[in-house]
Amino acid sequence: MRRDNRQERRDDRGPSGGASGGKSHYQMRQKMVSIGDDFWIENDRGEKVYKVDGKALRVRQTLIIEDARGTELYKIQERMLRVKDSMEVEDARGAQVAMVKKALITPIRERWTVKIKGGPDLEVQGNILDHEFTIGEGRDRVAEVSKKWFRLRDTYGVEIDPGQDDALILAVTVCIDEMSSPGR
């Protein structure tokens, strides 16, 4: 049953999924967005692939993930009642597709959960503050976040396994980055 749900999620992804046959690699900026700011997520060829638009003039923080053509793919919003504990990701129609929550905080490692609507949950484990963590489904890793691929300060990479919804995994990564900021 678990494998069937994962396959259905992959089948529903369509063109926003990762590159066929290989892992997708993206470059992200640490603590990247403040209200009103925009930034681009680039692939490993330096091409601008996704834009994160920090919408200003909203009651709660809203970030929009768009493709390179400006089509809205996902919207990230803080939960009003538990601002520090969770952020939700909605699709372009406003339907919730994921909820990112802090699950366990220890001095060395953090664990987060990502509740995926209609699919198996994802677990995020590792050193969040240092951007060295994995996103996985049970024992299966679906993405890795690391600074080891870049020498630039405040830059880290996201490596996403084939068959994943790259934009959704990047949206989850943006949530984690935002929620783990020291000023929150």
Side-chain angles (χ1 to χ4, degrees):
M1 181 75 175
R2 190 169 178 86
R3 292 272 180 210
D4 293 337
N5 285 340
R6 186 182 325 156
Q7 187 59 45
E8 286 176 21
R9 255 194 10 223
R10 287 182 181 154
D11 292 344
D12 290 342
R13 289 185 185 129
S16 67
S20 61
K23 297 179 181 188
S24 300
H25 297 91
Y26 298 95
Q27 180 176 335
M28 307 280 283
R29 282 194 350 235
Q30 184 176 332
K31 309 299 177 250
M32 53 204 119
V33 176
S34 61
I35 298 297
D37 287 349
D38 300 342
F39 82 95
W40 285 93
I41 298 171
E42 297 178 355
N43 64 16
D44 55 358
R45 295 178 301 281
E47 300 166 335
K48 294 178 177 178
V49 183
Y50 298 104
K51 180 181 176 185
V52 179
D53 183 357
K55 294 292 184 189
L57 304 173
R58 302 251 178 152
V59 174
R60 59 184 174 169
Q61 181 173 358
T62 301
L63 304 171
I64 307 293
I65 307 285
E66 300 173 345
D67 66 15
R69 295 179 308 276
T71 304
E72 181 178 318
L73 302 173
Y74 293 107
K75 182 185 305 179
I76 301 168
Q77 296 191 77
E78 292 177 319
R79 295 287 294 185
M80 292 301 287
L81 298 176
R82 296 178 296 185
V83 173
K84 293 185 179 188
D85 296 330
S86 62
M87 292 183 94
E88 67 181 14
V89 179
E90 299 175 348
D91 64 16
R93 297 180 309 273
Q96 182 182 338
V97 294
M99 176 67 69
V100 180
K101 294 182 178 186
K102 291 182 184 181
L104 175 67
I105 300 174
T106 65
I108 299 171
R109 298 177 67 81
E110 291 186 78
R111 190 170 65 83
W112 300 53
T113 59
V114 182
K115 304 283 186 187
I116 303 290
K117 185 85 168 181
D121 296 341
L122 299 175
E123 292 185 14
V124 180
Q125 296 184 48
N127 189 329
I128 304 299
L129 291 176
D130 286 339
H131 293 87
E132 297 291 339
F133 58 90
T134 59
I135 301 171
E137 186 179 308
R139 293 183 179 204
D140 297 333
R141 184 192 85 156
V142 298
E144 179 180 358
V145 174
S146 180
K147 285 188 165 185
K148 67 185 173 190
W149 302 306
F150 297 100
R151 296 185 192 267
L152 298 173
R153 182 182 153 113
D154 299 332
T155 301
Y156 61 95
V158 180
E159 178 182 78
I160 302 173
D161 289 353
Q164 302 302 314
D165 180 340
D166 288 15
L168 180 58
I169 297 295
L170 293 169
V172 167
T173 304
V174 169
C175 289
I176 293 166
D177 195 62
E178 285 294 304
M179 293 170 65
S180 66
S181 295
R184 285 183 51 87

